[in-house]
Amino acid sequence: MICLTLAALGILAAVQFSLAQRGAGNCQWAALRMQTDIYIESQTYGEVDPLLISSSPVYRENYKQRDINTSLLTTPLKIDYTRTFVDQRDCKTYSQLIVTDPKNPYIIGTQITYDNTGSAGLKAKIIDVVISRPPTEPQFNATKTLAHVDAEDWSVIATAKQDSRDLLKMVANLYLDLWSGNGNFKLPWGTPCARLEGSEYYTEECQPVSLNGKANTDRRYMIDEGLGAVSVFSKGGSDGTLLDIHEFRLVQGRLRYVHHFTASDAASVV
């Protein structure tokens, strides 16, 4: 059960209020990270913390709106790994959660959009969760995935060497456009460049081998210039029912890592 003392709650609220800039769409990194920690703790205990959400949050799992009080967020999970991207300009975060429990494994991507215009500090107004697990991900092995991502370097990039938001988004879109049937453009592949497909890791080639000719649609972005990172949720597959999580890391204009996980809008996720 999530337990915080009254003093801790008061300090937390004060820090949130002071760290969150009042201008809409402009949030402080520390406040966003604090809210992400509350989200991860909520998922760990299976309890929706009132410090996390606004009075009427929009909660979606695999692109379908759900009641947050009966969602995956109310299922306790033993989370073995997390990585978070922070988008200060758009007041958003993205978190990857990996659960290796052999009876109930998950790879979860969560984009959260925050409201910082109220007196209570940052509150989640939109929570988008895409959940990958057997059998929707054909190459699913959460333990292998954790080993691969944990060995990668996602450290902060020096400010002078960071790529712009526009470039980060453009490269992510160029990669996703490979599935549109127009693959004549050249992406800025890094040397090296590693690609993770579910649980399979490719270190020689980031270029996807199999392209089904269908565009990735309904893209939802989150950009972290400090990490050179982009999170994109999208719909794809031959009939548009496959849901994709893509994670990109760009270092000085070159793709260093590409991660791809698959879910299904028809899958049972709890």
Side-chain angles (χ1 to χ4, degrees), residues 119-134:
S119 60
L122 287 181
K123 295 289 185 179
K125 63 180 180 180
I126 302 173
I127 302 176
D128 262 314
V129 183
V130 176
I131 302 159
S132 179
R133 60 184 313 213

Side-chain angles (χ1 to χ4, degrees), residues 1 45 47 60 71 78 118 130-131 138 161 172 198:
M1 183 174 183
Y45 288 98
E47 298 180 8
R60 294 184 288 246
S71 68
K78 182 183 179 299
V130 176
I131 302 159
K161 296 182 178 181

Side-chain angles (χ1 to χ4, degrees), residues 56-201:
S56 55
V58 174
Y59 181 92
R60 294 184 288 246
E61 281 179 7
N62 288 1
Y63 275 59
K64 293 183 178 179
Q65 192 160 336
R66 289 193 60 177
D67 180 349
I68 194 170
N69 295 306
T70 58
S71 68
L72 179 67
L73 196 54
T74 61
T75 300
L77 296 178
K78 182 183 179 299
I79 300 168
D80 298 290
Y81 177 89
T82 67
R83 173 178 287 127
T84 294
F85 306 159
V86 174
D87 187 338
Q88 290 181 247
R89 196 199 73 174
D90 288 349
C91 214
K92 299 176 72 172
T93 60
Y94 166 78
S95 295
Q96 179 192 71
L97 313 181
I98 299 178
V99 177
T100 62
D101 179 357
K103 294 182 179 179
N104 212 18
Y106 289 89
I107 297 172
I108 300 167
T110 302
Q111 291 184 359
I112 303 180
T113 304
Y114 295 92
D115 178 16
N116 70 333
T117 59
S119 60
L122 287 181
K123 295 289 185 179
K125 63 180 180 180
I126 302 173
I127 302 176
D128 262 314
V129 183
V130 176
I131 302 159
S132 179
R133 60 184 313 213
T136 60
E137 171 56 73
Q139 302 181 71
F140 190 99
N141 183 316
T143 300
K144 284 180 63 177
T145 298
L146 187 154
H148 293 312
V149 300
D150 196 36
E152 294 177 340
D153 177 12
W154 288 78
S155 58
V156 175
I157 299 169
T159 302
K161 296 182 178 181
Q162 291 175 12
D163 294 305
S164 69
R165 292 179 66 88
D166 288 344
L167 180 62
L168 291 167
K169 186 174 181 179
M170 182 186 74
V171 172
N173 277 329
L174 284 174
Y175 186 92
L176 295 175
D177 286 345
L178 290 171
W179 279 265
S180 68
N182 179 16
N184 296 323
F185 37 78
K186 183 173 177 61
L187 275 85
W189 305 117
T191 306
C193 182
R195 177 169 57 93
L196 177 62
E197 293 282 348
S199 303
E200 298 302 316
Y201 205 65

